[in-house]
Amino acid sequence: MDLDEASPGRWRGRDLGTRTVRYDDRDAILYALAVGAAATDLDLVFEHRLRVLPTFALTRAQWAPDALGSAGAFDVTTAVHGAQRLRVRRPLPTSGELELTARVAEVWDKGAAAIFEVVVECEYFEATWSLFAPGRGGFHGDRGSSGRKRPDGPPDLEFSVDTSPGQAALYRLLGDRHPMHIDPEAARAAGMPRPFMHGLCTLAAVTLPLSGEIGAHPADLVALDGRFAAAVFPGDRLQVIGWDDGDAVLFEAAVGGTTVISGGRAQFRVTT
């Protein structure tokens, strides 16, 4: 492996620090609305019945991948969110504090790009961001594993999800204010024709109705994985297909025949 001081591999194992973040029921409700919850989903949008969506935790931990970019690991104007992993340890309270610790777990060499894996942990969850950084590969590092393959056979479920024209603007209020999601010039600098959806917003927007398709409650999510294969633009209609995988569901989402989320896997807590 290249041990040059400029090598992206030097970031492997980097401690990104610890941070205490606070939130209240208003934040959790705003999040649910931003990812597609309806006003009639009272246990997601009404404080007196509130159950917090597990994916809300990812908005509280956004500082960690942002901190890595700010430290100079990659060009923040061109790097994109490549994949996300979430493992739920305990249900989130409706309000309170989270003490989060973050580190760079791995840096993979994909040739033309590097992938930085940022892990954030606390007593309630463990989350991993995979950040795709063009121009940072070629440092003779390990390539890492390939993504989960699409299952053989026809899907067991199919449904559509309509995103809204203002969804990315609303989701920004949860903490990820990268300009590329609202500013046309910043989007073009990132190689996109116009502002596009946050990957985490798209993933949650799919997971929310997916739970209903299999008879689970969205707040009972315990594990989630997904790779962001292409951009989704506010107002797009997502076509989702899924396969039964025992205690989990494997899924993909597409827009107009182009896969936008691949290698998806969601697992929910079984209630009796």
Side-chain angles (χ1 to χ4, degrees):
M1 179 179 294
D2 185 356
L3 297 179
D4 185 86
E5 288 293 336
S7 170
R10 286 285 185 177
W11 293 91
R12 182 182 294 105
R14 180 71 61 95
D15 181 5
L16 296 176
T18 299
R19 187 174 297 189
T20 298
V21 298
R22 298 171 178 83
Y23 67 92
D24 58 24
D25 56 8
R26 180 182 179 278
D27 299 311
I29 291 169
L30 176 62
Y31 174 79
L33 293 169
V35 300
T40 52
D41 295 329
L42 295 186
D43 51 356
L44 299 180
V45 302
F46 181 37
E47 59 273 18
H48 296 305
R49 302 186 187 180
L50 188 61
R51 298 185 67 189
V52 181
L53 289 169
T55 47
F56 169 69
L58 301 174
T59 69
R60 304 300 91 181
Q62 183 61 45
W63 62 268
D66 288 349
L68 179 61
S70 297
F74 47 77
D75 183 348
V76 297
T77 66
T78 58
V80 295
H81 193 171
Q84 184 66 46
R85 179 178 185 265
L86 174 67
R87 297 295 180 265
V88 179
R89 293 171 173 169
R90 295 172 54 188
L92 289 167
T94 56
S95 63
E97 295 184 347
L98 305 177
E99 185 175 287
L100 307 176
T101 60
R103 70 186 191 280
V104 181
E106 286 290 352
V107 182
W108 304 114
D109 185 353
K110 298 297 185 179
I115 293 180
F116 295 81
E117 289 194 352
V118 175
V119 174
V120 182
E121 295 183 85
C122 74
E123 62 177 306
Y124 295 98
F125 66 90
E126 177 181 310
T128 303
W129 276 253
S130 293
L131 307 170
F132 184 85
R136 294 292 279 149
F139 57 94
H140 308 295
D142 294 335
R143 286 190 59 84
S145 60
S146 56
R148 182 180 292 109
K149 293 183 179 180
R150 184 179 190 178
D152 294 328
D156 298 305
L157 59 88
E158 299 184 43
F159 62 94
S160 63
V161 179
D162 288 320
T163 64
S164 69
Q167 197 158 1
L170 179 60
Y171 189 86
R172 292 183 75 247
L173 300 181
L174 277 302
D176 185 345
R177 296 198 178 188
H178 287 179
M180 64 183 70
H181 299 297
I182 198 166
D183 179 16
E185 290 186 8
R188 285 192 290 270
M192 297 295 173
R194 59 188 184 278
F196 54 101
M197 295 269 287
H198 303 70
L200 290 182
C201 183
T202 302
L203 185 60
V206 168
T207 307
L208 189 63
L210 178 64
S211 63
E213 290 288 326
I214 64 172
H217 192 284
D220 287 330
L221 180 75
V222 295
L224 180 64
D225 296 90
R227 291 179 178 270
F228 306 118
V232 175
F233 298 96
D236 279 348
R237 169 169 288 185
L238 303 167
Q239 300 295 336
V240 184
I241 54 178
W243 296 264
D244 186 353
D245 190 43
D247 63 348
V249 177
L250 306 180
F251 65 91
E252 290 185 353
V255 174
T258 299
T259 299
V260 295
I261 296 178
S262 64
R265 182 182 185 274
Q267 182 180 352
F268 296 86
R269 185 181 301 106
V270 177
T271 57
T272 57

